[in-house]
Amino acid sequence: MAAPGSAPDWSPGSADEEETILYDLLVNTEWPPETEVQTRGNRKHGASFIITKAIRDHLLFLRQYIWYSPAPFLLPDGLVRLVNKQINWHLILATNGKLLAAVQDQCVEIRSAKDDFTSIIGKCQVPKDPKPQWRRVAWSHDCTLLAYAESTGTVRVFDLMGSELFVISPASSFAGDLSYAIAGLIFLEYKASAQWSAELLVINYRGELRSYLVSVGTNQSYQESHSFSFHGHYPHGINTAIYHPGHRLLLVGGCETAELGVSKASSCGLSAWRVLSGSPYYKQVTNGGDRVTEVPKTLGLLKMLNVKFYTRQGQEQDGIFKMSLSPDGSLLAAIHFSGKLSIWAIPSLKQQGAWNQNEQPGYDDLNPDWRLSPEKRKKMKDKEFFYPLTDISWWAEGAVTLARCSGALTVSSAKTLKNLLGKSCEWFEPSPQVTAAHDGGFLSLECEIKLAPKRSRLEMRAGEEDEEEDSDSDHETSAKARYFGYIKQGLYLVTEMERFAPPRKWPRTITKNYRLVSLRSTTPEELYHRKIESEEYEKALSLAYTYGLDTDLVYQRQWRKSAVNIASIQNYLSKIKKRSWVLHECLERVPENVDAAKELLQYGLQGTDLEALVAIGKGADNGRFTLPGEVDIDSVSFEEVSPSDEPAKNRKENELQKRRELLKLVNFSELTLEQKELCRCRLKLLTYLDRLATYEEILGVPHASEQRYDAEFFKKFRSQNIVLSARTYARESNVQALEILLTYHGSDLLPHRLAILSNFPETTSPYEYSVLLPEACCNGDSLMIIPWAERKHRAKDWCEELECRMVVEPSLQDESEFLYAVQPELLRYRMSQLAVEKVMDWYQSRAEEIEHYAGQVDCALSLVRLGMERHIPGLLVLCDDLVTLETMVYEAGCDLTLTLKELQQMKDIEKLRLLMNHCSEEKYVTSAYQWMVPFLHRCEKRSPGTANELLKEYLVTLAKDDLKFPLKIFHHSKPDVSRKSNFPSFHFFSLLYSSIYKFLLKVLGRISL
């Protein structure tokens, strides 16, 4: 598409017709590709063809006019050439601009403007025409009827639904004689009788006119009204005809004449005929309204010879090919066989302007894209073939739409032919068709033709010629070879011997793609947005610079369409001026890799530094995203503070000095809303940057963080409540991640350290997160909890100072509120500096919770032991109870439902009896040594003397029912028993052993007697 002009927008009806039109191209419809096989004969150029054609034309003349034998009507060569250059399909827009008829090979589609002609509301079925370029179609004045003329002269009339109403056959016709094809198909409004809906004029190329009255509805039919012949004025027939409803004139175009004394219009082949209500129905009018002397019906031989053989030296007879009326009907534009363009006043037919083909700007331009395609380069050999105009229409009162064989389409001034579309034309496929302009635009039909791939030479038969070679091959052919080729063609024409026959050519397969394209004038804003939507960014930027539009929209679209990296930040984001939009992207968009995420956040920080804050306060930024150094601040000279050649060692000091100078210019108590928002954005950017650094630490070494980085997770993690993140890691037993959070975000997390540790699953062994557990140490005569070793990713920023925070975020939400909402009992552990008593209490309560909720006595015991290892006091009793419970549950086979709470409520003797209750006789001594003795030692350690009392009570109670277990104990407690299996000796054994032993022997002796 041509680049938009630099002038303001121009639309139809503009006062200044020379202003450049701002326009846009839209593809309304693209039909499915059609495949066609074309047979190829010899090329129609060279000496033999010229000689043959010259002999044929003169023999046909002698046959027709001397022997009066019937012969085909000879159409002008210029007419045949231009018609055959047209595409097979046709396009016509109704006068109201709401309906469109697209004539295809075997149907006529009727489309509506309601949906920009994208859908079909009616389809008329028509037979395939052997000469599709010679067909014609026309709408009725009220747009209710559609007439379709075949190349044979047969006319079919359809309604809007595509139903065929009737068929009008020609009065006479010969197969292959295109003179019976229709040159003019015109509907006239008919008011003489209510029986008929309209009058249809059918004019063939012979100049024979027939009028038909047509009716629709219940009595649909037609009736011939009258006939007329223009043969007297146009002995070679006519080429085109259109109707002017305002003046009731039938404007007819034919071949030029060399008669003397005729008007300029007549000499060019143009005439106007008044439409009468009665006979003779049509009367020619002169420039001044005088009648022209009627041409006699019989021509003399000299007159006929003059007409037939009249040619200029080296040129064929010229004539009018197509005509078009301006929207107000005051001007008529006509294109001629020779490529000439002429403008005529209506109804006077005075010539307003004329340009020969070589006088028209850009007539010899060819599509620059053709040079890139070998297939298209072949067309550039015969450049003259693409110069002529093939279609014409009016854009407005002072501008015409011109289409050429080359595909060049322009909207040109009717006075100077200046291209109003810009510096260059708009390129379509060859020979596009255009409609009349309506609502600031027109439609064009183009056909893209592509050749099928060439066959390999192995598939070629002997004596057959390959497809045409590249365009440069013909230039390499010598003149001698071409000369012998012409002789060979002539010999074959005379002798018809096969040895002189030209090589046969394979038929070629082509693919045709038809497109319906609309060209519409538009405003700069509409076109700008449309270019952005279609991703034509260079053209959109050109429009923005030309018309002073906001270039941010282009870069915003490019930024959002591209991946975030250093290049996209420099190429797109850095060129966006609106600060709020840039900061929003820096805060909301999450790149797909770590480096890009870091670069984006750092770029946002650059635009929220003190320079920007001061510039906003002074009103010097205008809402622009400014980087350090882009805004001049009167009170600070950046050149003096930071010279370009300063040593690196002094740079940091100079930056600190500059920052101090800028901070003096800021009164945080009087910040504007915009300044406060800038500070909030900076705080959030710093938070995100810290979270990114933390996330990198969690991922591990740099190369691992690149591979394991998850943008979706980071998007959630960076804005998530840090306390919630810590609790989540605790619940996931992710010790490493939680350790990193406590290290780098200690100010937010350490007051809740114990509450967070309480969220580790009870089934997780405390040894896994032992590095997170509090530890005590001696501080003189007292104990204290060792503080957590905190670290920071960076130095504290100016916006994080209390003076700024109090203004920007006066009331911060408690991020840990949720942590204590479900477990309010944890609130007592919330403190900035942990106390030993609170830590001891936490170890005890947490161990009890682990045992209570999970029944994991070993995990609870591990936690208490870890606490004792970390010098936490007051955990011995709980540790002993848990050891006893562990022995009972895991070794002694006691009730598995026994809980720590139940055990703590028991007396020591009850614990001892329960501990030994399930021991078998064989393993009683071993069990007593493994379970009872350690239990007694724990009791003795806790309360000296308790062990003897407990053992005495246990044995006496046990002996009342059975002596076998006490005897085993006594037996293994004798002094002569090996020390390896001997029970520890208590004081009461030395006093009572002998008496108790003798008493028992005596009792046993009596029992034995």
Side-chain angles (χ1 to χ4, degrees), residues 26-55:
L26 297 174
V27 178
N28 298 67
T29 301
E30 186 165 359
W31 284 271
E34 293 186 348
T35 302
E36 180 179 323
V37 178
Q38 290 184 340
T39 57
R40 300 189 302 150
N42 297 325
R43 299 180 185 176
K44 293 186 177 181
H45 57 69
S48 61
F49 171 74
I50 297 172
I51 296 171
T52 304
K53 182 178 182 300
I55 296 173

Side-chain angles (χ1 to χ4, degrees), residues 356-367:
N356 292 324
Q357 180 174 276
N358 56 4
E359 298 173 344
Q360 300 166 16
Y363 78 97
D364 55 352
D365 291 343
L366 292 180
N367 194 331

Side-chain angles (χ1 to χ4, degrees), residues 895-927:
D895 186 5
L896 296 177
T897 61
L898 180 65
T899 63
L900 176 63
K901 186 176 182 181
E902 293 173 346
L903 182 69
Q904 289 172 337
Q905 292 174 355
M906 293 179 184
K907 297 179 179 179
D908 289 340
I909 187 63
E910 292 175 348
K911 297 175 184 177
L912 180 58
R913 287 170 183 164
L914 186 60
L915 185 66
M916 302 300 294
N917 189 40
H918 296 280
C919 294
S920 63
E921 185 176 354
E922 295 80 7
K923 296 183 179 181
Y924 187 81
V925 176
T926 303
S927 299

Side-chain angles (χ1 to χ4, degrees), residues 364 366-377 380 383:
D364 55 352
L366 292 180
N367 194 331
D369 293 339
W370 286 5
R371 300 182 183 275
L372 305 178
S373 170
E375 179 182 319
K376 299 290 181 64
R377 282 205 303 267
M380 300 176 66
K383 295 183 179 180

